[in-house]
Amino acid sequence: MTTETPERTGSNPEPDTETAAAQPESPRRGRSLSVSIRMSTVLAAAVLALAVALIVGFAVAWLGARGELRDRDAAAADQRHAEQVATDYALGASTIDYNHVEDWFTRLKANTSPQLANKFDATAPKLRDILLPLKWTSTATPIAAETLGDAGGVYKIDVFLTVSSTNAQTPDGGHTTVTYNVTVDRAAGWKVTDVGGLDGALGGK
C-alpha cells in the first residue's frame, strides 16, 4: 500500500520590489521669502491717500468758512436791528406837540428798560415846564445811524436826525441836526437802556 505525500499548495510571497511612496520633503531651513510690490501700486496708494487728505481738508475748511460767514451775517443783522431800534426811538422822542405832552411822555418810555422809564417819570414835570411855555412842536427825519461799539450785545449807537421845530420864540420854524446817543441791549429784548441828546431835540434847553 503506497502512502502519497500531500503536495504543499501554498507559495512563498514574492519580495515587494515597488518603492514606498515618497514622503514630502521638509522645507529647507533658513529659506528667505521675498515680496515683490509693483511701483505702480505704491504710487496709486500714495495718490489715493493724498486725494483723501485734500478732500478732508477742503471739507473742514469749507465748513469753517460757512460757519464764519453765518456768524458774520448774524452779527450784521443784529447790528442793523439795533440801529433800527435806536432810530425808531429817536424819531419818537423828537416828535413833540406841546398840546399833547402826555403822548410824548409815552413815546419817551416806549421800548425802554424799567430803570430808564422810571427816570423819565421822575423828570416829566421838568420837561412839561419846558414845553408848555415854549409851545414847542417838532418832527424829525432820519439821516443815519452809526454803531460805535458792541460789547456782548450792548450796542452804543449814534442816531442823526434833522429836526424841524416851531416854538414861541421862532414861530416860523427852523431846522437843526440832532444827535441821539442810544444804548440798545439785545439780552434785554432789544430794549433801550440809556439815551442822550434829548436836550438837542429841545433846542438845547
Side-chain angles (χ1 to χ4, degrees), residues 50-111:
L50 179 60
V52 171
L54 289 175
I55 291 172
V56 171
F58 175 78
V60 171
W62 181 70
L63 290 174
R66 281 193 64 188
E68 291 178 2
L69 183 61
R70 183 169 56 248
D71 292 343
R72 186 175 62 187
D73 289 346
D78 284 350
Q79 180 175 313
R80 288 193 299 269
H81 183 67
E83 290 174 350
Q84 187 61 55
V85 169
T87 300
D88 291 344
Y89 179 83
L91 288 172
S94 295
T95 303
I96 304 169
D97 185 345
Y98 72 96
N99 291 309
H100 304 284
V101 177
E102 296 303 324
D103 292 343
W104 182 57
F105 289 152
T106 298
R107 288 192 292 273
L108 282 180
K109 296 188 293 182
N111 196 44

Side-chain angles (χ1 to χ4, degrees), residues 6-201:
E7 296 180 359
R8 294 181 180 178
T9 56
S11 60
N12 293 330
E14 296 180 359
D16 187 4
T17 59
E18 294 182 359
T19 305
Q23 299 296 324
E25 295 182 356
S26 58
R28 296 178 181 176
R29 292 183 179 180
R31 184 180 181 182
S32 60
L33 299 178
S34 61
V35 179
S36 177
I37 301 177
R38 292 184 179 179
M39 184 59 67
S40 60
T41 303
V42 175
L43 291 176
V47 170
L48 178 60
L50 179 60
V52 171
L54 289 175
I55 291 172
V56 171
F58 175 78
V60 171
W62 181 70
L63 290 174
R66 281 193 64 188
E68 291 178 2
L69 183 61
R70 183 169 56 248
D71 292 343
R72 186 175 62 187
D73 289 346
D78 284 350
Q79 180 175 313
R80 288 193 299 269
H81 183 67
E83 290 174 350
Q84 187 61 55
V85 169
T87 300
D88 291 344
Y89 179 83
L91 288 172
S94 295
T95 303
I96 304 169
D97 185 345
Y98 72 96
N99 291 309
H100 304 284
V101 177
E102 296 303 324
D103 292 343
W104 182 57
F105 289 152
T106 298
R107 288 192 292 273
L108 282 180
K109 296 188 293 182
N111 196 44
T112 60
S113 64
Q115 295 83 355
L116 184 57
N118 290 337
K119 288 181 181 180
F120 285 133
D121 286 336
T123 59
K126 181 179 179 179
L127 294 173
R128 184 182 288 105
D129 291 343
I130 294 173
L131 292 176
L132 292 179
L134 285 174
K135 298 183 178 181
W136 189 277
T137 64
S138 63
T139 57
T141 303
I143 300 174
E146 179 183 0
T147 298
L148 303 179
D150 168 17
V154 178
Y155 297 84
K156 303 287 186 180
I157 302 168
D158 279 352
V159 180
F160 304 95
L161 306 176
T162 298
V163 176
S164 303
S165 63
T166 63
N167 56 67
Q169 297 174 351
T170 56
D172 294 335
H175 305 279
T176 186
T177 299
V178 175
T179 302
Y180 281 82
N181 316 115
V182 184
T183 301
V184 179
D185 189 349
R186 179 181 59 198
W190 300 101
K191 296 291 185 182
V192 174
T193 57
D194 195 17
V195 60
L198 284 174
D199 55 344

